[in-house]
Amino acid sequence: MNTISTVNNLQTILTKGNARVQLPVAKLVEKILERKEAVLTNTGAISATTGQYTGRSPKDKYIVAESSVKDKIDWGSVNQPISEEIFNRLYEKVLHYLKTKDELFVFKGYAGADKKYQLPIQVITEYAWHNLFAQQLFIRPTEEELMDHKADFSLIFVPKYLADPIEDGLRSETFIIISFEQKVVLIGGTEYAGEMKKSIFTVMNYLLPENNVFSMHCSANVGQDGDVALFFGLSGTGKTTLSNDSKRRLIGDDEHGWSADGVFNIEGGCYAKCIHLSREKEPQIFDAITFGSVLENVVINEKTRIPDYNDGSLTENTRAAYPIHNIENIVESSVAGHPKTIVFLTADAFGILPPISKLTKEQAIYHFLSGYTSKLAGTERGITQPTATFSTCYGAPFLPLPASRYAEMLGEKIDEHGAEVFLVNTGWTGGEYGVGERMNLKFTRAMVQAAIEGKLTNMDTIQEPFFGLHIPLHVPGVPNEVLQPKKTWKNEQEYEEKARQLVTQFEDNFKKFTDISKEIITNGGPVLR
């Protein structure tokens, strides 16, 4: 099977009478309810459940080992290779499956708000609610753009199609496969809508660096003077909370590119975690879940149709998808200038890292590659005490290229634009989890604000003894004694013992980076070895 014939087969299928192309939101909602795929909530959002899989299936994700990419991909447990033969055979089966459907749903749109680097995409789904999700998460074309739209990448999502692991050469019935030569993403055997979002992000994480654009798993906002700030951080570190600032406009909440012209959002929507969501704590997100939004695995009261965001009985990974324009304080174009401030967020449950520290370029690259935070006891089965977690570049599952490629681009951008980088610990102070207490959010906001406003640029600092981090001696609105972790612990010996343990975990994790210069390790890593 060659690429041209496959593309023609797909296009032939989409021109048949069963393809519902670019249905408006209201019509999709009607279809969803008619087909009983989801229920309507009291705000007009639809609420769907995803069955067995309530999160991503990373062990079932593959990239086709094609000649044009096989020497570029960072192959391993994240980027698992699959042969062209296996992919082509499965692709033919999926195309045949599409022909049997009474209805297919097609969304045409874009990934990437900067038109210089924009990827035209089409999303073909067998569920109407998955197509609504795509319409809310990706960038929607204008009527004029739609007339000339020609997809460079197609995503086909068939949750009811189950692979035969033996016959199809896969690990399980579930598959998420990217072919860069055929420009196709195949997803099957799972109903979790987030696979669509992250598959296109993976595609962009390959394509953008090839065009000298630094792709990033981060949120971004901009101040009244055009000053841009980036927020990197894993789940639970406060990325969404801190980037949603009433005094600053949101560029995007999760995926961005940094080109020679500045920063741009890759998406057209938001995919927010909503476990324990409340209007009091996160009013912007709470009020954004309106008509046409998609709730995933949120328990709904059968009588009132009011979502119970505190109920995690289906999963703790409850989600809400909505277009970014549902947030009031945004940058309409989703494009802005070059960042002045970069914030790495970590929730250190060991209480060792300072609440804020200024990083040198080498330290920035080291901590970017480390991507550290910690999981708490009880968050996952088997975790009985705080556990260090490292996710390369704060987005390891979505990076097809070697980590060094992204780290080099970060270093180049810091040099070129003079961005200041800060490490902010939103975790514990005065002791580890169970002994100390969570950092006061009011203090964290004050520290981040001071960093963004340039108040820490020339501030006197003291060097922390284990990681060599430069801690400001004073931050407006924050008690001085909070800034140095050692002073917040009652037992200095216990502090030093726990700090040495964390240093060891950082060093053990960093051993996998065999292509990183010794300068980064020597000048950027822990000073206690």
Side-chain angles (χ1 to χ4, degrees), residues 241-277:
T241 301
L242 292 168
S243 61
N244 277 274
D245 186 335
S246 60
K247 297 179 181 178
R248 301 174 63 82
R249 290 181 296 152
L250 185 69
I251 303 168
D253 81 329
D254 198 48
E255 304 172 3
H256 291 84
W258 187 352
S259 72
D261 301 316
V263 168
F264 60 89
N265 192 358
I266 290 174
E267 300 180 291
C270 304
Y271 190 43
K273 272 192 173 180
C274 52
I275 191 72
H276 305 308
L277 177 66

Side-chain angles (χ1 to χ4, degrees), residues 270-324:
C270 304
Y271 190 43
K273 272 192 173 180
C274 52
I275 191 72
H276 305 308
L277 177 66
S278 68
R279 179 176 275 120
E280 291 73 27
K281 291 182 179 178
E282 295 176 291
Q284 286 187 310
I285 295 174
F286 191 94
D287 291 334
I289 305 171
T290 57
F291 178 77
S293 299
V294 178
L295 293 179
E296 227 178 355
N297 297 310
V298 174
V299 174
I300 308 296
N301 185 295
E302 289 187 9
K303 291 182 178 180
T304 64
R305 296 300 174 95
I306 296 174
D308 184 353
Y309 294 120
N310 291 316
D311 191 333
S313 58
L314 294 176
T315 177
E316 289 287 308
N317 188 36
T318 54
R319 294 279 181 168
Y322 51 86
I324 194 169

Side-chain angles (χ1 to χ4, degrees), residues 1 10 15 35 46 114 129 132 174 183 193 222 251 259 306 389 396 428 473 524-525:
M1 180 180 69
L10 177 59
T15 56
R35 292 159 58 96
I46 66 105
D114 188 330
W129 84 263
L132 178 60
T174 301
K183 298 182 178 180
V222 60
I251 303 168
S259 72
I306 296 174
T389 301
W428 271 253
L473 291 177

